[in-house]
Amino acid sequence: MPLSHPRRSALSEQVIAALRQQIASGEWPVGSRIPTEPELVEQLGVARNTVREAVRALAHNGLLDIRQGSGTYVVATSELAGVMHRRFAGADPRHIAELRSTLESAAARLAAERRTEKDLKQLDALLVRREEAWDSGDTEAFVAADATFHLAVVAASHNDVLTALYADLGEVMREWLRVDVGEELTPETHMDHTRLVDAIRTGDAATAQSEAAGYPFQCRPGRAGSPLADRPRQARPGSPAAG
């Protein structure tokens, strides 16, 4: 005789929905530590057991990671993103690079054909933010800024399915980028994305596609498994790596 499971209470469902909204809205970004259990009890006005059940449910669904002695962290923005993260966490880096190249090049070509003035303003702003993050020397800030920039390029394609798929793969992409840039930001690992934005701005679909396709393979020198590991990067103008 199969076991039956009692339905989760309406209150617990409301708490799960509230926590999920904090994640989906970006109030708790991927990588951040959420408030402690006592803080959530106070904020939500519910019992500790209800909060604990909700957090465990979201951890089971892949949105949160409970780390004993450290806290609970956001690892994905949706259940599907959580599944993607778990499924591809140990994937071959070369295969992730190939996936990025395929998705981002297709999106960049469409973006060059469909971008709006609003898209261009956002890309310009995010390009500046990306450079500021690089100048700060904060690796995690740069990873977040770079990932946000590339998602904006994909969103400028105005293909909702492609954008949703790319967003759900977001943490997989960020994890790949963390490994790629390493623990320290160095001049030889900098890539200038100005040409991509300029191609999108001028409607040059072929150049936009080509630029986006190449970025994922311009890996750290000597990275194993990269088909283009010896290919020189697009260095930042004025940097020691500029050619």
Side-chain angles (χ1 to χ4, degrees):
M1 178 178 179
L3 296 175
S4 61
H5 299 277
R7 187 180 182 279
R8 189 183 289 118
S9 69
L11 180 58
S12 183
E13 291 281 6
Q14 291 175 22
V15 173
I16 291 172
L19 301 186
R20 185 185 286 112
Q21 175 58 28
Q22 291 291 95
I23 296 169
S25 68
E27 186 69 23
W28 295 345
V30 170
S32 67
R33 185 173 63 180
I34 73 171
T36 63
E37 190 174 278
E39 289 172 336
L40 290 174
V41 167
E42 182 177 352
Q43 291 174 15
L44 299 170
V46 296
R48 182 181 292 254
N49 286 343
T50 302
V51 168
R52 188 171 301 163
E53 181 182 358
V55 169
R56 286 176 176 170
L58 291 177
H60 177 74
N61 289 346
L63 277 70
L64 298 176
D65 180 25
I66 302 172
R67 304 173 190 172
Q68 296 300 325
S70 178
T72 300
Y73 293 80
V74 179
V75 294
T77 55
S78 71
E79 279 78 0
L80 180 55
V83 170
M84 294 284 199
H85 183 230
R86 292 195 302 272
R87 173 64 180 82
F88 299 115
D92 186 329
R94 177 181 55 189
H95 296 166
I96 298 298
E98 290 170 350
L99 175 63
R100 277 197 64 194
S101 179
T102 299
L103 295 179
E104 293 178 21
S105 62
R109 182 177 188 89
L110 292 173
E113 298 169 348
R114 301 175 179 176
R115 86 289 183 274
T116 65
E117 285 303 315
K118 182 178 179 180
D119 293 329
L120 292 175
K121 288 180 180 178
Q122 183 175 27
L123 289 175
D124 286 338
L126 292 176
L127 192 59
V128 170
R129 184 185 302 175
R130 181 179 181 274
E131 291 302 311
E132 291 174 345
W134 178 272
D135 291 337
S136 75
D138 186 330
T139 301
E140 190 57 37
F142 174 72
V143 167
D146 187 69
T148 302
F149 169 81
H150 284 286
L151 178 57
V153 171
V154 176
S157 71
H158 294 277
N159 182 316
D160 293 342
V161 176
L162 178 57
T163 302
L165 175 61
Y166 190 86
D168 284 331
L169 283 164
E171 185 53 26
V172 176
M173 305 298 191
R174 281 187 288 271
E175 198 64 40
W176 182 92
L177 184 59
R178 288 186 187 98
V179 175
D180 186 38
V181 300
E183 296 181 359
E184 183 179 355
L185 302 177
T186 58
E188 62 268 19
T189 60
H190 183 275
M191 283 186 287
D192 183 14
H193 287 2
T194 303
R195 285 189 294 188
L196 172 59
V197 175
D198 287 345
I200 292 173
R201 187 188 315 279
T202 59
D204 185 346
T207 298
Q209 182 176 20
S210 176
E211 286 291 314
Y215 292 144
F217 296 116
Q218 295 175 24
C219 302
R220 279 186 292 121
R223 178 174 179 172
S226 170
L228 298 178
D230 297 325
R231 174 177 169 177
R233 285 177 176 261
Q234 296 172 21
R236 185 179 193 176
S239 76

